[in-house]
């Protein structure tokens, strides 16, 4: 193992693409590096160890990754002792590894999503033997507990509750890059959250590709709702959030947990992907437009003020004008608080790659613009309805551009900006909303 003192004054930089899962993996990598004595360096080009944690889900992921990586070539030429490491979802795809080997031979270390826990020893190999190391595991194997993590905020934390996905939506690469579903034991999660609470964390976000299937196929009996009840009892934790939920697996038991668990925040991210039942079938989502609308009705019956956010893909192969209009209609009926919208793009190795009738780019863009305009109007209308209300905001810190302004989030997940001292960071502050905008709210501290 490496000696901590030998890394004195050495620094690291991690560039993270993609979802919260990746953000959290980067926190683990940072935690391991700090245990080895490295300090964070905000400049990728000056760090002794530069890591790029990649995503293969987002639009143009390949281009963005190789663009960023390309910037490090010069660094490597000037300071060959710099360690350049790449990891994350993309590394689980063979064609990426092939490209790296052929065009980026100066990369020192390549590892995947399943062997992050090995990073210190992989790094050790690179440093001591100056070998190029490519180590990517195909399968998840056992869950490794107890890895250190360097959290971005002292008062809020992400907690992985499960890894992988079994759903095989036909457009999605995740089941291939993150492997099969594996759930962490509830005892391990409770212990982690207790430790987080003891260190001052007030808000936790439970992470999994499909948290609603937590516990399935495991050797314990608790399901996701049971887990929420267990976490709700932990002193010091004030807010519990989770993502992501698959509509097909959202149980009545979970819906009722919103009523019973005072710490469970009134918000849910429930990706719909499309409003056309035919497209949903071809996406292998396993619910219809009507199923989704009924689910929303049920949620709002039980939790009237719940904020609902979603993901929508525009231009899935075979999407006709009628199909797209079904999506517009669903948006009108549900009135999402906000949505992530994606232009469909091919992921190599997924079933939809082979689908005929890919939608022309120009049509995709037209539909995308129409959808985003309407989604934004609705977001603004909903946000305007907050004006005059007093909401509790967990203050996250001062804004980058104006240090007198603080931002934070409501229990429904809305971003709120208000004037106040930086000392409020990490506290729950009552705010009177003065203005509802498309993506955020403005307000004043309520005295
Ligand atoms: N094209 C466009 N969007 C995609 N997503 C996943 N795969 C693709 C793809 N091939 C979107 C889905 C998912 C979100 C994280 O990314 O909407 O919910
Ligand atoms: Fe991808 Fe579907 Fe799994 Fe989500 S549920 S990670 S979209 S396969």
């Amino acid at each position: 193992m490496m000696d901590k003192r030998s890394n004195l004054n050495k620094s690291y930089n991690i560039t993270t693409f993609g979802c919260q899962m990746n953000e959290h993996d980067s926190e683990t990598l940072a935690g391991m590096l700090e245990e080895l004595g490295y300090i964070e360096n905000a400049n990728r080009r000056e760090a002794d160890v530069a890591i790029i944690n990649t995503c293969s889900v987002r639009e143009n992921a390949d281009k963005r990754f190789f663009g960023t990586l390309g910037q490090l070539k010069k660094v490597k030429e000037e300071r060959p002792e710099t360690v350049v490491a790449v990891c994350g979802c993309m590394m689980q795809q063979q064609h990426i590894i092939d490209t790296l080997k052929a065009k980026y031979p100066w990369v020192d270390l390549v590892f995947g999503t399943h062997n992050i826990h090995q990073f210190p020893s992989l790094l050790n190999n690179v440093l001591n033997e100056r070998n190029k190391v490519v180590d990517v595991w195909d399968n998840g194997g056992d869950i490794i507990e107890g890895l250190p993590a360097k959290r971005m905020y002292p008062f809020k934390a992400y907690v992985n509750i499960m890894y992988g996905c079994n759903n095989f939506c036909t457009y999605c690469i995740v089941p291939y890059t993150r492997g099969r579903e594996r759930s962490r034991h509830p005892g391990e999660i409770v212990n982690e959250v207790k430790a987080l609470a003891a260190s001052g964390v007030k808000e936790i976000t439970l992470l999994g590709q499909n948290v609603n299937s937590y516990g399935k196929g495991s050797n314990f009996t608790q399901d996701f709702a049971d887990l929420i009840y267990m976490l709700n009892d932990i002193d010091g934790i004030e807010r519990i959030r989770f993502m992501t939920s698959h509509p097909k697996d959202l149980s009545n038991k979970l819906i009722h947990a919103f009523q019973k668990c005072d710490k469970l925040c009134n918000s849910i991210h429930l990706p719909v992907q499309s409003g056309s039942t035919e497209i949903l079938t071809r996406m292998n989502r396993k619910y219809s437009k009507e199923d989704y609308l009924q689910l929303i009705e049920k949620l709002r019956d039980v939790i009237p003020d719940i904020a609902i956010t979603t993901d929508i893909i525009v231009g899935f192969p075979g999407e006709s004008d009628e199909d797209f209009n079904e999506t517009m209609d669903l948006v009108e009926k549900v009135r999402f608080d906000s949505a992530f919208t994606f232009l469909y793009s091919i992921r190599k190795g997924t079933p939809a790659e082979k689908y005929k009738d890919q939608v022309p780019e120009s049509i995709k863009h037209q539909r995308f613009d129409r959808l985003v305009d309407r989604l934004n109007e609705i977001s603004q209308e909903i946000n305007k309805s907050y004006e005059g209300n007093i909401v509790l905001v967990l203050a996250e810190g001062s804004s980058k551009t104006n240090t007198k302004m603080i931002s934070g989030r409501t229990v429904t997940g809305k971003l709120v900006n208000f004037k106040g001292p930086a000392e409020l960071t990490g506290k729950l502050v009552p705010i009177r909303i003065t203005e509802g905008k498309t993506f955020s709210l403005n307000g004043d501290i309520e005295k």
Side-chain angles (χ1 to χ4, degrees):
M1 272 289 97
M2 263 179 281
D3 178 356
K4 199 166 168 166
R5 280 161 308 176
S6 65
N7 298 320
L8 219 57
N9 298 325
K10 285 204 174 174
S11 69
Y12 70 91
N13 175 281
I14 306 178
T15 307
T16 310
F17 291 110
C19 64
Q20 272 85 359
M21 198 80 73
N22 259 22
E23 295 277 355
H24 191 47
D25 284 348
S26 290
E27 290 182 349
T28 303
L29 289 167
M32 292 192 276
L33 282 157
E34 301 217 344
E35 285 206 339
L36 293 170
Y38 285 79
I39 49 171
E40 192 175 357
N41 188 330
N43 189 339
R44 180 160 59 225
R45 294 181 187 82
E46 286 173 4
D48 298 291
V49 176
I51 305 181
I52 306 180
N53 187 2
T54 62
C55 161
S56 40
V57 173
R58 295 290 156 90
E59 193 74 11
N60 285 326
D62 298 30
K63 235 193 252 158
R64 291 175 58 200
F65 163 55
F66 286 116
T68 310
L69 183 61
Q71 295 170 7
L72 290 171
K73 186 173 184 201
K74 216 164 145 240
V75 175
K76 234 2 227 178
E77 282 165 2
E78 284 165 9
R79 285 188 295 118
E81 69 279 10
T82 307
V83 175
V84 175
V86 294
C87 63
C89 292
M90 270 189 161
M91 303 308 131
Q92 301 296 140
Q93 297 175 274
Q94 191 54 46
H95 69 277
I96 299 286
I97 303 288
D98 295 343
T99 308
L100 281 170
K101 284 183 177 161
K103 298 199 184 142
Y104 301 82
W106 43 270
V107 170
D108 300 287
L109 171 58
V110 180
F111 57 105
T113 55
H114 301 305
N115 59 338
I116 285 186
H117 59 282
Q118 284 196 317
F119 172 69
S121 74
L122 296 172
L123 179 63
N124 197 32
N125 285 349
V126 172
L127 288 171
N128 291 340
E129 289 150 41
R130 285 319 299 187
N131 275 340
K132 189 177 149 68
V133 179
V134 178
D135 191 355
V136 177
W137 296 5
D138 280 344
N139 292 307
D142 292 337
I143 292 173
I144 313 291
E145 293 291 350
L147 298 178
K150 183 194 179 203
R151 297 196 316 272
M152 277 185 288
Y153 297 94
F155 49 87
K156 68 173 197 177
Y158 296 124
V159 178
N160 275 121
I161 63 164
M162 58 189 301
Y163 302 90
C165 181
N166 289 356
N167 288 316
F168 291 94
C169 301
T170 53
Y171 50 82
C172 185
I173 194 76
V174 168
Y176 310 94
T177 58
R178 294 260 167 188
R180 293 293 67 70
E181 281 175 9
R182 285 122 31 229
S183 297
R184 286 179 70 193
H185 195 280
E188 295 281 358
I189 299 171
V190 167
N191 284 344
E192 179 176 341
V193 174
K194 278 186 180 158
L196 288 169
S199 75
V201 167
K202 293 194 174 143
E203 178 181 301
I204 52 165
T205 302
L206 308 175
L207 293 180
Q209 303 294 348
N210 178 18
V211 292
N212 299 114
S213 55
Y214 174 77
K216 278 186 192 156
S218 69
N219 57 3
F220 54 83
T221 54
Q222 287 90 343
D223 62 15
F224 183 55
D226 296 326
L227 179 68
I228 300 270
Y229 281 95
M230 290 163 79
L231 299 175
N232 196 63
D233 284 340
I234 297 177
D235 288 340
I237 296 297
E238 300 195 29
R239 288 181 169 184
I240 302 174
R241 302 185 186 280
F242 61 84
M243 69 189 309
T244 294
S245 285
H246 194 304
K248 79 177 163 59
D249 298 316
L250 196 118
S251 66
N252 288 336
K253 191 170 161 190
L254 179 66
I255 296 179
H256 287 102
F258 277 100
Q259 275 186 318
K260 300 264 163 51
C261 300
D262 56 327
K263 297 173 182 175
L264 188 57
C265 291
N266 282 355
S267 71
I268 190 162
H269 186 63
L270 200 60
V272 64
Q273 313 297 5
S274 169
S276 152
T277 298
E278 204 180 310
I279 295 290
L280 287 169
T281 307
R282 301 209 298 125
M283 286 176 162
N284 193 29
R285 292 291 291 177
K286 303 197 175 80
Y287 54 84
S288 64
K289 178 187 186 189
E290 288 67 34
D291 294 336
Y292 189 87
L293 289 172
Q294 272 170 19
L295 187 57
I296 298 294
E297 209 176 291
K298 209 155 57 174
L299 273 166
R300 288 196 168 133
D301 267 352
V302 181
I303 323 133
D305 59 345
I306 193 166
I308 299 173
T309 58
T310 202
D311 292 345
I312 300 174
I313 297 177
V314 176
F316 186 76
E319 184 187 73
S320 64
D321 282 340
E322 290 74 46
D323 291 318
F324 177 68
N325 285 335
E326 294 282 350
T327 299
M328 292 298 289
D329 179 60
L330 179 126
V331 161
E332 224 47 66
K333 292 197 163 105
V334 177
R335 295 181 61 81
F336 293 105
D337 283 79
S338 69
F340 294 108
T341 37
F342 301 87
L343 285 162
Y344 171 74
S345 65
I346 289 175
R347 300 289 178 268
K348 277 199 181 135
T350 58
E353 179 193 0
K354 305 260 156 30
Y355 288 6
K356 304 265 171 340
D357 48 19
Q358 300 279 338
V359 177
E361 288 300 315
S362 60
I363 296 187
K364 266 195 234 174
H365 280 94
Q366 277 169 24
R367 290 180 187 161
F368 186 86
D369 291 348
R370 207 178 126 202
L371 175 65
V372 171
D373 284 349
R374 188 60 197 134
L375 284 165
N376 286 348
E377 281 169 11
I378 294 171
S379 295
Q380 185 172 18
E381 285 161 19
I382 296 175
N383 288 349
K384 279 229 162 294
S385 72
Y386 275 67
E387 290 177 2
N389 292 359
I390 298 169
V391 292
L392 264 188
V393 172
L394 180 61
E396 295 186 357
S398 48
S399 102
K400 280 194 188 112
T401 44
N402 181 350
T403 48
K404 290 209 175 72
M405 293 298 282
I406 307 246
S407 60
R409 290 196 186 262
T410 65
V411 78
T412 50
K414 305 230 176 250
L415 187 66
V416 180
N417 297 304
F418 59 97
K419 219 181 263 163
E423 296 79 74
L424 288 179
T425 302
K427 302 218 162 63
L428 283 163
V429 189
I431 301 290
R432 182 183 290 275
I433 300 303
T434 52
E435 189 186 3
K437 303 197 289 185
T438 308
F439 303 110
S440 64
L441 309 169
N442 288 340
D444 295 320
I445 298 177
E446 177 70 8
K447 298 267 158 52

